[in-house]
Amino acid sequence: DLDHTRVLGSTLEEIAKEKGGIYKNADACFAIGTNTSSVLTVLRECAKTEASKDLVVVDCNDCDDDDVQRRRHQRRQLTLPKNVPLGLAGSHQRINALLAMNLCRAASMKQADLDDNAYETYCYKTLSAASYFPGRCQHVSIDSKKDDDDECPSTRTTMNLYLDGAHTPISLKATVAWYKQQQQQQHNDL
């Protein structure tokens, strides 16, 4: 799933090395566990070289695992249970939200001593309302009427638009999965 190859490189490893430069002088270095092992190796090297830090790999299992306490204590990472709703639609957004939670906590730890339980609770409460990105797994319903007749329901029509700015093979697959999920939910609601 290569994007911006003219700027970043033509292989995933080249892109990872370029993007890993952001770790320079970082207090913490994170990556998502869905990366290939070769990409994670490159990012680990960047974390050591650029920031003298270990790479923290945020695991997708932490998005859906109900055994939250065990995972947190094993790896000192925050978790995102499946029952926590997000403002951005699509199951692929859960790992992005979990990564953001861990990044924010790492940045905040420099400022104050945080209790992980309190921080997670705060994140859970704000995630559903705080995240909104128009054109990303967005469902828009447009009601229209014919002949300006409010009395007759048969003159009303609803058009449902499903919008996403996917532009790579992997993001297109995520969009299709979201669309299928929306269709299944609509079918279940009937």
Side-chain angles (χ1 to χ4, degrees):
D1 196 38
L2 303 179
D3 197 10
H4 310 293
T5 55
R6 284 185 277 174
V7 175
L8 299 174
S10 60
T11 68
L12 290 175
E13 294 76 17
E14 288 174 351
I15 293 168
K17 186 171 173 94
E18 192 67 32
K19 288 188 172 189
I22 199 169
Y23 294 149
K24 191 171 194 156
N25 301 320
D27 292 313
C29 303
F30 291 88
I32 295 175
T34 56
N35 286 298
T36 65
S37 60
S38 60
V39 166
L40 289 174
T41 297
V42 170
L43 292 174
R44 280 187 183 93
E45 290 170 8
C46 289
K48 285 285 188 204
T49 304
E50 300 291 339
S52 299
K53 302 283 183 195
D54 288 328
L55 182 70
V56 177
V57 178
V58 177
D59 189 354
C60 297
N61 292 329
D62 289 336
C63 292
D64 298 317
D65 198 321
D66 291 325
D67 192 4
V68 173
Q69 296 298 325
R70 179 183 57 81
R71 283 191 179 279
R72 181 186 302 128
H73 292 300
Q74 282 179 344
R75 295 196 325 272
R76 298 292 299 149
Q77 289 184 28
L78 299 174
T79 56
L80 183 58
K82 58 187 164 195
N83 63 339
V84 175
L86 298 179
L88 294 174
S91 59
H92 60 287
Q93 296 296 351
R94 298 194 72 73
I95 189 65
N96 295 332
L98 182 61
L99 178 63
M101 286 171 56
N102 278 281
L103 287 167
C104 289
R105 185 193 64 179
S108 299
M109 288 181 87
K110 283 183 66 175
Q111 306 299 322
D113 185 26
L114 294 177
D115 172 74
D116 282 346
N117 287 328
Y119 186 75
E120 278 185 335
T121 301
Y122 171 76
C123 286
Y124 299 161
K125 288 179 181 178
T126 59
L127 277 173
S128 62
S131 304
Y132 178 68
F133 196 151
R136 282 287 182 205
C137 294
Q138 182 181 8
H139 175 217
V140 177
S141 290
I142 300 173
D143 288 326
S144 64
K145 57 184 178 175
K146 297 178 183 174
D147 301 324
D148 296 326
D149 186 0
D150 288 329
E151 301 298 319
C152 182
S154 64
T155 63
R156 291 194 149 289
T157 60
T158 300
M159 181 172 34
N160 290 302
L161 304 175
Y162 297 88
L163 310 170
D164 192 86
H167 58 285
T168 64
I170 289 176
S171 61
L172 285 169
K173 285 180 185 177
T175 299
V176 169
W178 163 74
Y179 178 75
K180 287 179 178 178
Q181 181 184 26
Q182 293 291 303
Q183 295 303 301
Q184 183 63 46
Q185 183 64 43
Q186 188 177 30
H187 176 74
N188 292 344
D189 290 344
L190 295 178

